[in-house]
Amino acid sequence: MPENKSRPPQEQPWESGWAPDTSRAPGTRRLWLAGGLAVATIVACVTAIALNDKPVEDTTADRQGQTLSDDETGGGLISFATPSATGSAAPAGSKSASPSPSSSPSASSSPAAQGSPSPHAPAGSRASASATPTGKPADPAPSGDRRSVQAVNYPDRYWHVSDGLVRLDAPRGSESRQDSTFTLVKGLSNSSCYSFATHDGTYLRHRDFVLRSERNDGSTLFKQDATFCPGYSGQQGAVLLQSVNYPNYALRHKNFQLRLDPWGYNTTNRADFSFRLVSPLG
């Protein structure tokens, strides 16, 4: 059988005199190049991390506590503000959550309700912190003084007991004036606050968040419902009357009906919550 000479045998050199190297596995040179590239990549990453973690030192003592810009830090791709040694300061003119102390009791200093909450109040109606704005309330009337309560935004209308409820009405005669006059006594639940006694021996108390006139039944709940603490209303010569057992609720008139509503910095119609204790009408 004739010999097949289409290609030379592997042990014989090519016509140019070069013979393939059969002592090394094919692709070894590529593996060396890939390994070298991997080592270079690892070295570059380690170097970048080391430079990123390099501490940044301030050049002057007065820059302590100040935030450095990205150009000043030079510490890497991501920089963080240096924390102040004294903590962050409150912005100028900001309002505190609790009123400043004054000669008269503030609404937020009212004690929290003792015992179980009122059964007439909806669940979750108590707020966790007082939202009364900072300021000094109007000078309260002395205990035992007879006063009428005038609305700031309706100066011709006064608190008036009618059919057991308290409304904002204009005086219409001697009987109406008598029902619009109250005796201020020390709060039944907190002696630093007010309770309003009527001429017929009842007290003003909130029930179902509506202000009404009822006789004292001696219960702790009644005493709390009938006690209101004066606070700063934002109106000159006026007071905000907050419930002692719902300190984030205050008396207001709505559709000329007196009731408790939430009071806070976001409250609208704030003048509806402001009242003046004036000379008695009857």
Side-chain angles (χ1 to χ4, degrees), residues 29-256:
R29 185 173 301 170
R30 295 179 182 177
L31 292 176
W32 277 102
L33 290 176
L37 181 60
V39 171
T41 302
I42 293 173
V43 171
C45 292
V46 171
T47 304
I49 293 174
L51 291 177
N52 239 7
D53 293 341
K54 182 180 179 181
V56 181
E57 298 179 357
D58 267 339
T59 56
T60 58
D62 4 98
R63 301 179 50 149
Q64 294 181 0
Q66 297 181 358
T67 302
L68 299 179
S69 66
D70 292 341
D71 296 335
E72 291 174 315
T73 54
L77 298 178
I78 302 177
S79 60
F80 298 91
T82 305
S84 172
T86 57
S88 59
S94 63
K95 295 185 178 181
S96 171
S98 59
S100 57
S102 62
S103 58
S104 59
S106 109
S108 63
S109 64
S110 307
Q114 302 173 355
S116 59
S118 170
H120 312 294
S125 60
R126 293 177 187 270
S128 58
S130 175
T132 305
T134 303
K136 181 180 179 181
D139 293 334
S143 177
D145 197 11
R146 295 175 67 249
R147 292 296 177 99
S148 292
V149 186
Q150 178 190 47
V152 166
N153 50 354
Y154 290 91
D156 60 333
R157 291 176 176 261
Y158 302 82
W159 289 12
H160 174 235
V161 178
S162 177
D163 296 328
L165 299 177
V166 183
R167 294 183 50 83
L168 200 62
D169 291 332
R172 295 185 299 271
S174 59
E175 183 177 351
S176 172
R177 291 174 180 270
Q178 189 178 31
D179 290 333
S180 298
T181 302
F182 310 94
T183 301
L184 272 61
V185 299
K186 291 183 178 181
L188 300 180
S189 178
N190 184 344
S191 60
S192 298
C193 302
Y194 289 144
S195 287
F196 295 86
T198 66
H199 68 91
D200 56 357
T202 63
Y203 289 89
L204 303 186
R205 58 90 58 98
H206 66 82
R207 181 160 59 85
D208 298 328
F209 294 104
V210 174
L211 190 65
R212 59 190 77 223
S213 171
E214 293 185 359
R215 295 201 174 273
N216 185 3
D217 60 9
S219 66
T220 300
L221 178 61
F222 183 95
K223 294 177 181 179
Q224 292 174 347
D225 289 350
T227 302
F228 304 93
C229 296
Y232 178 66
S233 67
Q235 303 285 338
Q236 184 178 6
V239 294
L240 175 78
L241 294 169
Q242 292 178 281
S243 169
V244 73
N245 51 348
Y246 291 91
N248 282 353
Y249 280 66
L251 290 176
R252 68 164 300 181
H253 64 82
K254 186 175 184 180
N255 297 325
F256 300 115

Side-chain angles (χ1 to χ4, degrees), residues 21-32:
D21 186 5
T22 59
S23 63
R24 186 177 57 184
T28 306
R29 185 173 301 170
R30 295 179 182 177
L31 292 176
W32 277 102

